[in-house]
Amino acid sequence: MKMQFSGIKRRARRHFLAIMALATTVLALPLLATQTLAADAKKPLVVYYSESGNTQKVAEEIHKLVGGDILRIEPATPYPTNYKELTEVAKEEQNKNARPAIKTAIPDMSQYGLIFLGYPNWWSSMPMPVYTFVEKADLKNISIAPFDTHGGGGLGHSIEDLKKIAPQCKILDPLAISGNSAGSSAANAKVRQWLEKMGFAAK
């Protein structure tokens, strides 16, 4: 009787351990899923356009946390420094669906698996030099994580516009940062939370 009882205890223990192992695996699945992108991707590239410097601050924070390379999109013809004139030129380019030339050299994109694409919200979309870059670059098999800085308009319709010009890319959940807060501890905390959701460990 004693031996039978011991056998039952051993079987019960094995059953308990099996259940715990299964539960641990199930609980770990969401975490593994969030880490897949960061773990499997080639090195990341942070690409951004910045006129006032706000988007640049966010881009540099992302680069600091994820590593990889960073690249600034620069138009071949600089925009006016006067804010009113700048907005008028930007609106005219958007109305014409222009693709202004850029002087930024586009690297070999095959070395990247993920692009962080940053831009200010101009007339509810991306500045047209960003369109130029996206269409000129070979983005096959590359995921894009968009982020923008704005004065109250959030992302506008920039994500819908991005999907139209980069249908071959997987567009990840975007991040919107108020331009006035760019570079602040609160904005940087939002950046870290966004990156952690993609599986990048906080530094």
Side-chain angles (χ1 to χ4, degrees):
M1 187 71 174
K2 184 176 181 180
M3 290 178 62
Q4 289 178 344
F5 182 72
S6 298
I8 292 172
K9 286 178 65 178
R10 283 196 297 270
R11 287 195 296 274
R13 185 173 183 273
R14 284 197 298 269
H15 185 61
F16 173 79
L17 292 175
I19 291 174
M20 290 302 295
L22 178 61
T24 301
T25 301
V26 171
L27 290 172
L29 284 176
L31 178 60
L32 292 172
T34 61
Q35 291 175 339
T36 298
L37 180 62
D40 293 348
K42 302 173 186 178
K43 68 177 177 178
L45 172 65
V46 181
V47 181
Y48 71 96
Y49 176 84
S50 185
E51 190 67 31
S52 68
N54 291 333
T55 306
Q56 180 176 353
K57 292 176 184 177
V58 180
E60 290 175 344
E61 179 67 14
I62 293 171
H63 181 237
K64 181 180 75 174
L65 295 171
V66 305
D69 297 331
I70 187 167
L71 183 67
R72 179 171 184 157
I73 300 171
E74 296 188 65
T77 302
Y79 285 101
T81 55
N82 177 273
Y83 179 75
K84 185 175 184 299
E85 292 177 7
L86 167 62
T87 58
E88 290 173 352
V89 171
K91 184 61 174 175
E92 182 180 5
E93 285 184 344
Q94 191 178 97
N95 288 340
K96 293 180 177 179
N97 198 27
R99 296 295 186 270
I102 58 175
K103 62 181 181 180
T104 303
I106 298 177
D108 175 11
M109 302 305 293
S110 66
Q111 62 186 310
Y112 306 109
L114 171 63
I115 291 179
F116 292 93
L117 182 66
Y119 49 86
N121 177 329
W122 281 11
W123 296 105
S124 297
S125 190
M126 302 173 288
M128 300 316 288
V130 178
Y131 283 75
T132 301
F133 177 88
V134 171
E135 291 182 346
K136 285 176 69 71
D138 182 4
L139 302 182
K140 183 180 179 181
N141 298 322
I142 294 179
S143 297
I144 299 179
F147 64 96
D148 88 338
T149 55
H150 62 91
L155 291 156
H157 48 75
S158 65
I159 304 305
E160 290 81 1
D161 296 337
L162 178 59
K163 289 178 179 179
K164 290 177 183 177
I165 63 171
Q168 76 278 28
C169 297
K170 179 180 180 181
I171 309 301
L172 306 180
D173 289 340
L175 173 69
I177 296 286
S178 169
N180 291 333
S181 71
S184 69
S185 57
N188 290 345
K190 286 186 67 175
V191 169
R192 287 185 176 85
Q193 291 170 2
W194 182 56
L195 294 175
E196 286 171 6
K197 288 181 180 179
M198 284 184 271
F200 290 92
K203 294 185 180 180

